[in-house]
PDB file of all heavy atoms in Angstrom:
ATOM      1  N   GLU A 171       5.158 -27.515  26.096  1.00  0.00           N
ATOM      2  CA  GLU A 171       4.524 -26.762  25.009  1.00  0.00           C
ATOM      3  C   GLU A 171       5.547 -25.764  24.402  1.00  0.00           C
ATOM      4  O   GLU A 171       6.254 -25.021  25.132  1.00  0.00           O
ATOM      5  CB  GLU A 171       3.410 -25.862  25.659  1.00  0.00           C
ATOM      6  CG  GLU A 171       2.707 -24.916  24.645  1.00  0.00           C
ATOM      7  CD  GLU A 171       1.694 -23.989  25.319  1.00  0.00           C
ATOM      8  OE1 GLU A 171       1.586 -24.008  26.595  1.00  0.00           O
ATOM      9  OE2 GLU A 171       1.090 -23.163  24.590  1.00  0.00           O
ATOM     10  N   VAL A 172       5.656 -25.778  23.074  1.00  0.00           N
ATOM     11  CA  VAL A 172       6.582 -24.884  22.403  1.00  0.00           C
ATOM     12  C   VAL A 172       6.083 -23.467  22.517  1.00  0.00           C
ATOM     13  O   VAL A 172       4.901 -23.167  22.254  1.00  0.00           O
ATOM     14  CB  VAL A 172       6.726 -25.312  20.927  1.00  0.00           C
ATOM     15  CG1 VAL A 172       7.489 -24.213  20.116  1.00  0.00           C
ATOM     16  CG2 VAL A 172       7.290 -26.648  20.746  1.00  0.00           C
ATOM     17  N   GLN A 173       7.010 -22.612  22.907  1.00  0.00           N
ATOM     18  CA  GLN A 173       6.672 -21.127  22.881  1.00  0.00           C
ATOM     19  C   GLN A 173       7.796 -20.418  22.235  1.00  0.00           C
ATOM     20  O   GLN A 173       8.975 -20.624  22.443  1.00  0.00           O
ATOM     21  CB  GLN A 173       6.520 -20.659  24.320  1.00  0.00           C
ATOM     22  CG  GLN A 173       5.301 -21.066  24.999  1.00  0.00           C
ATOM     23  CD  GLN A 173       4.870 -20.106  26.149  1.00  0.00           C
ATOM     24  OE1 GLN A 173       5.790 -19.671  26.875  1.00  0.00           O
ATOM     25  NE2 GLN A 173       3.590 -19.784  26.340  1.00  0.00           N
ATOM     26  N   LEU A 174       7.404 -19.579  21.282  1.00  0.00           N
ATOM     27  CA  LEU A 174       8.337 -18.731  20.529  1.00  0.00           C
ATOM     28  C   LEU A 174       7.836 -17.267  20.630  1.00  0.00           C
ATOM     29  O   LEU A 174       6.678 -17.035  20.284  1.00  0.00           O
ATOM     30  CB  LEU A 174       8.369 -19.199  19.097  1.00  0.00           C
ATOM     31  CG  LEU A 174       8.835 -20.595  18.828  1.00  0.00           C
ATOM     32  CD1 LEU A 174       8.609 -21.065  17.444  1.00  0.00           C
ATOM     33  CD2 LEU A 174      10.336 -20.774  19.185  1.00  0.00           C
ATOM     34  N   VAL A 175       8.639 -16.377  21.170  1.00  0.00           N
ATOM     35  CA  VAL A 175       8.287 -15.032  21.398  1.00  0.00           C
ATOM     36  C   VAL A 175       9.223 -14.114  20.660  1.00  0.00           C
ATOM     37  O   VAL A 175      10.315 -13.905  21.141  1.00  0.00           O
ATOM     38  CB  VAL A 175       8.229 -14.703  22.942  1.00  0.00           C
ATOM     39  CG1 VAL A 175       7.755 -13.180  23.084  1.00  0.00           C
ATOM     40  CG2 VAL A 175       7.258 -15.648  23.617  1.00  0.00           C
ATOM     41  N   GLU A 176       8.694 -13.430  19.599  1.00  0.00           N
ATOM     42  CA  GLU A 176       9.520 -12.546  18.855  1.00  0.00           C
ATOM     43  C   GLU A 176       9.511 -11.112  19.430  1.00  0.00           C
ATOM     44  O   GLU A 176       8.465 -10.725  20.013  1.00  0.00           O
ATOM     45  CB  GLU A 176       9.068 -12.475  17.359  1.00  0.00           C
ATOM     46  CG  GLU A 176       9.145 -13.851  16.631  1.00  0.00           C
ATOM     47  CD  GLU A 176       7.870 -14.635  16.731  1.00  0.00           C
ATOM     48  OE1 GLU A 176       7.006 -14.303  17.630  1.00  0.00           O
ATOM     49  OE2 GLU A 176       7.620 -15.468  15.841  1.00  0.00           O
ATOM     50  N   SER A 177      10.557 -10.403  19.202  1.00  0.00           N
ATOM     51  CA  SER A 177      10.592  -8.955  19.622  1.00  0.00           C
ATOM     52  C   SER A 177      11.606  -8.186  18.809  1.00  0.00           C
ATOM     53  O   SER A 177      12.434  -8.871  18.027  1.00  0.00           O
ATOM     54  CB  SER A 177      10.915  -8.839  21.098  1.00  0.00           C
ATOM     55  OG  SER A 177      12.189  -9.397  21.389  1.00  0.00           O
ATOM     56  N   GLY A 178      11.621  -6.926  18.929  1.00  0.00           N
ATOM     57  CA  GLY A 178      12.638  -6.101  18.240  1.00  0.00           C
ATOM     58  C   GLY A 178      12.133  -5.363  17.020  1.00  0.00           C
ATOM     59  O   GLY A 178      12.930  -4.581  16.454  1.00  0.00           O
ATOM     60  N   GLY A 179      10.888  -5.550  16.590  1.00  0.00           N
ATOM     61  CA  GLY A 179      10.443  -4.905  15.391  1.00  0.00           C
ATOM     62  C   GLY A 179      10.218  -3.407  15.666  1.00  0.00           C
ATOM     63  O   GLY A 179      10.281  -2.929  16.809  1.00  0.00           O
ATOM     64  N   GLY A 180       9.881  -2.695  14.647  1.00  0.00           N
ATOM     65  CA  GLY A 180       9.676  -1.232  14.771  1.00  0.00           C
ATOM     66  C   GLY A 180       9.550  -0.595  13.384  1.00  0.00           C
ATOM     67  O   GLY A 180       9.536  -1.215  12.389  1.00  0.00           O
ATOM     68  N   LEU A 181       9.512   0.734  13.491  1.00  0.00           N
ATOM     69  CA  LEU A 181       9.462   1.593  12.321  1.00  0.00           C
ATOM     70  C   LEU A 181      10.862   2.184  12.055  1.00  0.00           C
ATOM     71  O   LEU A 181      11.374   2.802  12.961  1.00  0.00           O
ATOM     72  CB  LEU A 181       8.465   2.739  12.566  1.00  0.00           C
ATOM     73  CG  LEU A 181       8.380   3.838  11.439  1.00  0.00           C
ATOM     74  CD1 LEU A 181       7.880   3.270  10.170  1.00  0.00           C
ATOM     75  CD2 LEU A 181       7.385   4.926  11.909  1.00  0.00           C
ATOM     76  N   VAL A 182      11.365   1.977  10.887  1.00  0.00           N
ATOM     77  CA  VAL A 182      12.663   2.455  10.521  1.00  0.00           C
ATOM     78  C   VAL A 182      12.618   3.041   9.144  1.00  0.00           C
ATOM     79  O   VAL A 182      11.841   2.638   8.320  1.00  0.00           O
ATOM     80  CB  VAL A 182      13.744   1.383  10.567  1.00  0.00           C
ATOM     81  CG1 VAL A 182      13.957   0.901  12.054  1.00  0.00           C
ATOM     82  CG2 VAL A 182      13.461   0.229   9.729  1.00  0.00           C
ATOM     83  N   PRO A 183      13.452   4.031   8.847  1.00  0.00           N
ATOM     84  CA  PRO A 183      13.601   4.629   7.540  1.00  0.00           C
ATOM     85  C   PRO A 183      14.327   3.624   6.601  1.00  0.00           C
ATOM     86  O   PRO A 183      15.070   2.800   6.971  1.00  0.00           O
ATOM     87  CB  PRO A 183      14.304   5.839   7.649  1.00  0.00           C
ATOM     88  CG  PRO A 183      15.212   5.546   8.872  1.00  0.00           C
ATOM     89  CD  PRO A 183      14.435   4.704   9.728  1.00  0.00           C
TER      90      PRO A 183
END
Side-chain angles (χ1 to χ4, degrees):
E171 177 189 2
V172 172
Q173 286 202 322
L174 300 167
V175 180
E176 301 92 339
S177 62
L181 172 63
V182 294

